[in-house]
Amino acid sequence: MKKYRAGIVGATGMVGQRFAVLLDKHPFFTVTAIAASPRSAGKTYTEAIDGRWKLDIPMPNYIKDMTVIDANDIDAIKPLVDFVFCAIDLPKAEVRELEEKYAKAEIIVVSNNSACRGLPDVPMLIPEINPEHTAVIETQKKRLGTKRGYIAVKPNCSIQSYVPLITPLLEYEPYEMVVTTYQAISGAGKTFAQWPEMIDNVIPYIGGEEEKSEKEPLKIWGKVEDGVIKNASLPVITTQCIRVPVTNGHLAAVFVKFRKNPTKEQILKAWDEYEGEPQRLRLPSAPEKFLTYFEEDNRPQTKLDRDIYGGMGVTAGRLREDTVYDWKFIGVSHNTLRGAAGGAVLSAEYLAAKGLLD
Ligand code: NAP
């Protein structure tokens, strides 16, 4: 496999730091540029981080002395990269403007940000689930007037604890779901040191999260028609998203009704057998097993199970019949790995394997 030159835009943030670690000695990608806000520009990565390293694994050596570029200085970044990963904290309109500027400069953008997720010609990828959505890239390139530049995004971290588990059950026609998510503080780019109010506390509000958690699954389950993604209309989903005092890992409590109600054995079999293109292509970040079910009543737990298969697997447990809905269960995924940087790296690996980074 040819090696691609990758930039990390937002390299100093929580997700950017995950990218820095995941791309260390990556078989497909070499980090050749790092960018962040004008505050960090011109400093080495170590200087720019200045005590803000948020991970419990050390900063990789390769990046320590790299100079941070201003993310807005696309002319400086363009000659250095084939594509960029993007995870920046800016208002949505500014993120969309910046990502489209990169694409128009013929730099492919693999984004963690939500700004472009709603656009029907932007693929929002969970590579195990909807790799065929990459077909809309051609439509997007026409809109942007580009030869090579485009934006591919990954969905919100909250949905990755239940969408992977509902996908193998779509043949049973789920039509109504209630989901409550219990989300880690790293989802807000924070640690306990930076957010002491979260210690011994639960906050029943995460701005914008419920809308994303209800709408984004319908795009993931949508079909490509006339060069764009037409969202699915079912299942209708209602959510409550709650911040809990956990460092990493989002847990979802799910209730679901089906038009063709499956048996417990059918659900467990569907989960056990489900795999996607990343497993078939043996992509470097693909979990050996996408979905793992625990029989124990007290699993999955965020702390015990978030790191399964390098934080790229999704776990489930407590599948049981419900008195109001048909079935209920619990799902867990790692929000900054599967839900953010890891998911984006896997998407880029898929794009590379399909020649879509050339
Ligand atoms: P974060 O820790 O606050 O990092 C923000 C990054 O944005 C930093 O690199 C920062 O650079 C940069 N930045 C801030 N202002 C900028 C500007 N004016 N121009 C260019 N860069 C600027 O945030 P995060 O948690 O990594 O999240 C980043 C993005 O990923 C957000 O859109 C978030 O919604 C999304 N996301 C996060 C998660 C998660 O679990 N954390 C999951 C999925 C998606 P400086 O250090 O120079 O300020």
Side-chain angles (χ1 to χ4, degrees), residues 8-19 35-41 45 48-49 52 54 68-72 86-91 94-95 98-99 111-115 117 154-158 160 184-190 194 209 212 243 248 250 334-337 339-341:
I8 309 175
V9 178
T12 49
M14 170 69 85
V15 178
Q17 294 177 21
R18 283 280 177 202
F19 278 125
S37 79
R39 293 179 293 278
S40 301
Y45 189 65
I49 289 283
R52 294 184 295 155
K54 297 172 182 174
V68 181
I69 302 170
D70 179 347
N72 303 293
C86 188
I88 51 173
D89 188 21
L90 277 179
E94 289 176 44
V95 172
L98 187 70
E99 291 185 343
S111 174
N112 274 267
N113 307 305
S114 60
R117 285 184 199 151
K154 51 147 290 296
N156 201 51
C157 46
S158 59
Q160 318 223 16
I185 61 170
S186 59
K190 300 261 173 55
Q194 294 170 308
E209 203 76 349
K212 291 176 198 165
R243 190 71 75 192
N248 293 300
H250 290 353
H334 196 302
N335 56 298
T336 64
L337 289 166

Side-chain angles (χ1 to χ4, degrees), residues 153-165:
V153 299
K154 51 147 290 296
N156 201 51
C157 46
S158 59
I159 75 166
Q160 318 223 16
S161 303
Y162 55 94
V163 165
L165 294 160

Side-chain angles (χ1 to χ4, degrees), residues 110 122-135 137 150 152-155 160 220 338 343-344 346-348 350-351 356:
V110 180
V122 172
M124 180 162 70
L125 298 172
I126 297 179
E128 281 88 348
I129 298 178
N130 60 344
E132 73 283 2
H133 285 191
T134 50
I137 288 170
Y150 65 84
V153 299
K154 51 147 290 296
Q160 318 223 16
I220 300 281
R338 168 55 75 172
L346 184 63
S347 294
Y350 177 75
L351 296 171
L356 291 167

